[in-house]
């Protein structure tokens, strides 16, 4: 039985790695082969259905996503996935999941708005740069917690943009098209219904410019945001994956466990993880 699972694991891991990368864990294929105490001829044991499913999901993913997944033990991967999906069950059931895949191909309707939006008001945890900001409640709580942690390190985070309604996105997108033309506008501004901001769980910090990356606030976020469940959505060098150029200021609240999962198994690319979770849920 053990030997058969090992063989299956090698097969899955070969799918994990389109390339020779081995960042996390010992590649299963390089583990020492156990001494052969089994009879030579043995009927194959039934394959674990979860491993079979993992295989099918991985085969459906893009080559770049496959390449981003490091070598490792499929059982460990599945255990980590299970943990992330268990936590999702505790999210508010009357709203979209914090793992909801939204991008240029996966949208929400014009009338979608988060069920529990909380207006952000002046407070001691972080600065608000506008009086029209709001987030869904779980994200607002997590932002306050992160703001307090930053303050302990001598950093005051400043929040510039949060929930955006469909109408706001429409206005913003049309404005940027009129200024920069359609092609350039697509790189930075979301078409209505495709923005993480409509989920009420994304925040733009600071001046919303590349120069924000040089600030202590942005450096702190890069080092610590994931400890509070906030993930950088549009990292440098992944425009072809996320659809957006690098946005050092844009973080999405996804929860601490999902941040860990993203970092451990998806080369820290949020888009790959959510594409995987979406595919996993939709696969029979
Ligand atoms: Zn943003």
């Amino acid at each position: 039985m053990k030997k058969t699972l090992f063989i299956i694991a090698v097969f899955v891991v070969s799918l994990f790695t389109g390339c020779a990368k081995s960042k996390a864990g010992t590649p299963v294929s390089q583990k020492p082969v156990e001494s052969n105490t089994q009879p030579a001829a043995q009927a194959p044991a039934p394959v674990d259905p979860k491993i079979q499913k993992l295989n099918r999901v991985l085969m459906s993913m893009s080559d770049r996503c496959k390449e981003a997944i490091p070598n490792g033990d499929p059982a460990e991967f599945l255990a980590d996935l299970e943990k992330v999906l268990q936590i999702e069950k505790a999210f508010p059931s009357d709203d979209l999941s914090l793992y909801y895949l939204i991008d240029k191909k996966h949208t929400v309707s014009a009338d979608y708005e988060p069920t529990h939006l909380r207006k952000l008001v002046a407070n001691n945890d972080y600065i608000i740069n506008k009086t029209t900001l709001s987030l869904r409640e779980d994200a607002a709580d997590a932002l306050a917690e992160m703001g307090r942690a930053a303050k302990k390190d001598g950093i005051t985070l400043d929040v510039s943009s949060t929930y955006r309604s469909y109408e706001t996105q429409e206005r913003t997108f049309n404005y940027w098209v009129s200024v920069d033309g359609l092609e350039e506008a697509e790189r930075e501004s979301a078409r209505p219904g495709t923005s993480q901001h409509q989920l009420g769980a994304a925040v733009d910090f600071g001046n919303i410019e590349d120069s924000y990356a040089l600030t202590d606030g942005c450096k702190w976020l890069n080092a610590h945001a994931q400890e509070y469940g906030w993930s950088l959505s549009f990292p440098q060098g992944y425009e072809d994956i996320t659809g957006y150029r690098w946005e050092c200021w844009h973080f999405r609240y996804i929860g601490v466990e999902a941040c860990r999962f993203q970092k451990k198994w998806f080369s820290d690319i949020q888009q790959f993880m959510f594409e995987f979770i979406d595919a996993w849920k939709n696969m029979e």
Side-chain angles (χ1 to χ4, degrees):
M1 178 71 177
K2 201 168 184 183
K3 193 180 177 192
T4 311
L5 279 178
F6 171 76
I7 292 162
I8 294 157
V10 171
F11 178 51
V12 174
V13 168
S14 69
L15 279 174
F16 268 2
T17 56
C19 62
K21 241 192 242 179
S22 61
K23 286 190 295 187
T26 309
V28 175
S29 54
Q30 289 175 22
K31 279 182 183 167
V33 179
E34 292 160 33
S35 62
N36 187 5
T37 54
Q38 304 285 336
Q42 196 182 34
V47 180
D48 181 341
K50 285 222 164 151
I51 299 242
Q52 283 182 324
K53 181 175 173 179
L54 176 60
N55 232 336
R56 289 197 304 279
V57 173
L58 286 171
M59 284 202 295
S60 76
M61 306 305 295
S62 69
D63 285 346
R64 258 195 105 183
C65 181
K66 279 181 222 156
E67 284 165 17
I69 299 175
N71 256 331
D73 177 2
E76 189 182 338
F77 179 93
L78 287 169
D80 290 343
L81 172 65
E82 185 58 31
K83 225 185 282 175
V84 165
L85 295 178
Q86 276 300 325
I87 282 169
E88 185 181 33
K89 289 181 184 163
F91 295 161
S93 56
D94 56 355
D95 204 346
L96 292 178
S97 166
L98 288 168
Y99 304 160
Y100 188 83
L101 176 64
I102 186 166
D103 57 27
K104 291 192 172 176
K105 292 185 199 139
H106 304 86
T107 62
V108 286
S109 61
D111 60 0
Y112 170 75
E113 68 171 62
T115 315
H116 307 285
L117 269 179
R118 185 191 297 162
K119 188 172 158 54
L120 304 189
V121 295
N123 64 80
N124 294 324
D125 302 327
Y126 53 84
I127 291 170
I128 51 169
N129 287 335
K130 277 185 218 151
T131 54
T132 52
L133 301 171
S134 56
L135 285 174
R136 49 183 278 175
E137 286 185 337
D138 38 16
D141 289 340
L143 176 64
E145 191 194 355
M146 182 163 74
R148 286 192 288 275
K151 275 218 156 166
K152 276 190 193 152
D153 290 343
I155 303 290
T156 303
L157 297 174
D158 58 328
V159 176
S160 297
S161 187
T162 48
Y163 167 67
R164 277 178 220 152
S165 68
Y166 187 92
E167 292 71 30
T168 307
Q169 293 171 67
E170 202 163 39
R171 264 200 314 277
T172 309
F173 184 73
N174 291 339
Y175 169 76
W176 285 112
V177 171
S178 73
V179 172
D180 288 336
L182 180 63
E183 199 179 320
E184 198 54 29
E186 293 266 26
R187 298 182 67 203
E188 291 197 46
S189 182
R191 278 179 186 267
T194 69
S195 172
Q196 292 189 351
H197 286 284
Q198 194 173 342
L199 302 178
V203 169
D204 292 335
F205 291 94
N207 61 358
I208 318 191
E209 299 275 351
D210 288 351
S211 58
Y212 182 61
L214 303 173
T215 64
D216 289 342
C218 193
K219 287 175 192 164
W220 189 92
L221 285 169
N222 283 326
H224 299 290
Q226 293 196 346
E227 295 161 26
Y228 302 92
W230 292 86
S231 152
L232 181 75
S233 298
F234 310 122
Q236 208 158 18
Y238 288 88
E239 184 170 346
D240 57 328
I241 303 301
T242 65
Y244 297 99
R245 64 179 284 269
W246 175 49
E247 293 191 359
C248 63
W249 56 83
H250 177 114
F251 287 77
R252 175 175 172 181
Y253 178 62
I254 62 174
V256 173
E257 202 58 47
C259 283
R260 282 196 200 119
F261 191 48
Q262 168 189 316
K263 194 167 189 169
K264 183 172 172 186
W265 290 108
F266 294 91
S267 296
D268 216 6
I269 305 300
Q270 184 197 106
Q271 179 73 19
F272 288 148
M273 178 181 66
F274 283 144
E275 282 178 7
F276 175 88
I277 289 176
D278 185 64
W280 177 267
K281 288 177 177 173
N282 289 315
M283 186 73 73
E284 289 297 307

